[in-house]
Amino acid sequence: MTTVLPVRRPGAATALPLDTDERSTAGGNAGRARQIWGRLAPWLARGALGIAVLAFAVLAVGPHVFGYRTMTMLTGSMAPEIEPGDVTVATPVPVSEVTEGMVISYHMPVGDQRLVTHRVVSVDRAADGSVTVQTKGDANTANDPWTASLEGDTVYQVQAVIPEVGELIRLFRTPGLSQALLYGAPVLLAGWLLMTIWRPERNENEEVPA
């Protein structure tokens, strides 16, 4: 039997094995994750900054500009309409326009005269123009055990409720967190602005190495 062996011509290149990519797919996944996070992080930072600015405007600037008040509900006496930790937005209305069914904020005439937010259940207008009301918490079984005289020309009526924001405000008022926000927030904001200004723009025509 005759055996035929392949003959390599002088100077011919030796065939190389097929190139196989032995890199782990984990590296590729990590690279994609970093790329996604790099694109998502600036938008998250912008969103957090926007929410912080909006909250500051509503809770700190708005009352001085538009005259409303924001108050944090501490008890569950007005549940489920107003839960503990909710923030109420109240606007001034003339005392002469107070009617049954309104939810108003006023200083209770007994005890420590703290601020209370309850619903008006009865209104009494005297001949001299003074107005007294009796109120009740929606979650309470009985009316408040007092009659309140509304002093001044206006009283604050609840117009809107912002759920659970009060708990966040109380958290921000803790000494450690408030100091961190006071000194850390400006530094983070300045760093983000500098990165936005000095970040080199990627050339779309530039080839990305495999």
Side-chain angles (χ1 to χ4, degrees):
M1 182 178 64
T2 304
T3 302
V4 179
L5 297 177
V7 178
R8 183 169 60 90
R9 292 177 301 172
T14 304
L16 297 177
L18 295 177
D19 185 18
T20 56
D21 190 357
E22 298 179 353
R23 292 175 297 180
S24 172
T25 57
N29 293 336
R32 284 192 293 272
R34 286 194 297 268
Q35 185 179 13
I36 293 173
W37 173 250
R39 294 179 178 178
L40 187 61
W43 290 104
L44 292 177
R46 293 187 185 100
L49 182 61
I51 293 174
V53 171
L54 179 61
F56 179 77
V58 171
L59 300 175
V61 178
H64 298 284
V65 176
F66 300 104
Y68 62 81
R69 285 185 179 179
T70 58
M71 291 163 282
T72 301
M73 194 69 177
L74 301 178
T75 68
S77 61
M78 283 297 293
E81 182 175 341
I82 310 174
E83 297 284 354
D86 292 351
V87 169
T88 61
V89 180
T91 58
V93 296
V95 171
S96 59
E97 296 182 4
V98 173
T99 59
E100 296 179 8
M102 283 186 174
V103 179
I104 62 173
S105 298
Y106 66 96
H107 290 279
M108 58 192 303
V110 297
D112 57 359
Q113 297 186 347
R114 62 182 173 84
L115 198 66
V116 63
T117 300
H118 279 177
R119 191 178 302 277
V120 177
V121 295
S122 66
V123 183
D124 183 19
R125 293 181 172 84
D128 60 358
S130 61
V131 177
T132 56
V133 297
Q134 191 168 23
T135 57
K136 174 183 177 296
D138 289 354
N140 297 339
T141 57
N143 295 344
D144 296 329
W146 62 75
T147 299
S149 179
L150 302 180
E151 305 291 341
D153 298 328
T154 61
V155 65
Y156 280 87
Q157 178 188 5
V158 174
Q159 302 289 356
V161 178
I162 308 176
E164 301 182 4
V165 176
E167 295 297 335
L168 184 61
I169 296 174
R170 292 171 62 182
L171 177 64
F172 284 163
R173 288 178 177 174
T174 57
L177 186 57
S178 62
Q179 291 295 322
L181 291 175
L182 178 62
Y183 297 105
V187 174
L188 292 177
L189 179 59
W192 177 74
L193 290 175
L194 290 175
M195 289 178 61
T196 303
I197 295 172
W198 290 341
R199 182 176 56 190
E201 296 185 359
R202 178 180 171 182
N203 187 354
E204 297 297 335
N205 297 324
E206 182 182 354
E207 293 185 358
V208 180

